[in-house]
Amino acid sequence: MRTVDEYMKLPYKMEIIPDTEEGGYVVSFPDLPGCLTVGDTIEETIKNAEDAKRSWFEAAIEDGFSISEPNDFGNYSGQFKLRIPKSLHKSLSEHSKVEGISMNQYCLYLLTKNDSVHVR
């Protein structure tokens, strides 16, 4: 069995969705059943997600629970280049500043949010 730090380095998929009832965001890890948390901003939600994931691993190891490995994404680098209209670039940049996060994090949030709609 791996250590908590070894599990933390593995690329577990994180899903972030807006909480339309309470406000803020909810994050979960599909490969880690029951591992979820919330936050008021995307940045806070991501920080809370790392804390929740660490606590989940600690509890699973302590209880002798079997921890599955993340899905294999070996053929994917996690990067791609995308050309967008200047007006969209401006809009994304402005929205990310309002959220207090980088444009990359904001775009990742938007892609994750919309991709999760198609997974259901």
Side-chain angles (χ1 to χ4, degrees):
M1 184 173 274
R2 297 175 187 257
T3 66
V4 171
D5 288 332
E6 289 171 332
Y7 280 116
M8 290 296 293
K9 292 177 184 174
L10 296 176
Y12 285 93
K13 180 180 178 183
M14 176 173 39
E15 294 182 346
I16 302 173
I17 58 171
D19 186 340
T20 56
E21 293 179 16
E22 301 285 328
Y25 304 91
V26 176
V27 65
S28 64
F29 296 88
D31 293 326
L32 307 175
C35 183
L36 58 104
T37 190
V38 297
D40 291 328
T41 65
I42 293 174
E43 186 175 68
E44 178 186 2
T45 304
I46 292 170
K47 180 190 175 302
N48 292 348
E50 290 302 304
D51 292 341
K53 186 168 62 167
R54 178 172 289 282
S55 296
W56 192 94
F57 288 136
E58 289 169 350
I61 290 170
E62 183 178 314
D63 293 344
F65 183 73
S66 176
I67 301 172
S68 63
E69 297 285 318
N71 287 325
D72 182 17
F73 299 107
N75 293 329
Y76 302 95
S77 69
Q79 297 180 18
F80 69 97
K81 192 172 202 172
L82 179 65
R83 301 252 182 234
I84 60 175
K86 289 179 182 180
S87 59
L88 178 58
H89 190 173
K90 178 181 184 277
S91 178
L92 291 170
S93 178
E94 290 171 352
H95 290 132
S96 68
K97 286 178 185 172
V98 168
E99 289 294 330
I101 58 175
S102 72
M103 195 170 85
N104 276 348
Q105 285 178 314
Y106 185 68
C107 290
L108 176 61
Y109 156 72
L110 292 174
L111 288 168
T112 303
K113 173 184 164 186
N114 288 304
D115 186 57
S116 67
V117 170
H118 299 286
V119 173
R120 295 171 199 232

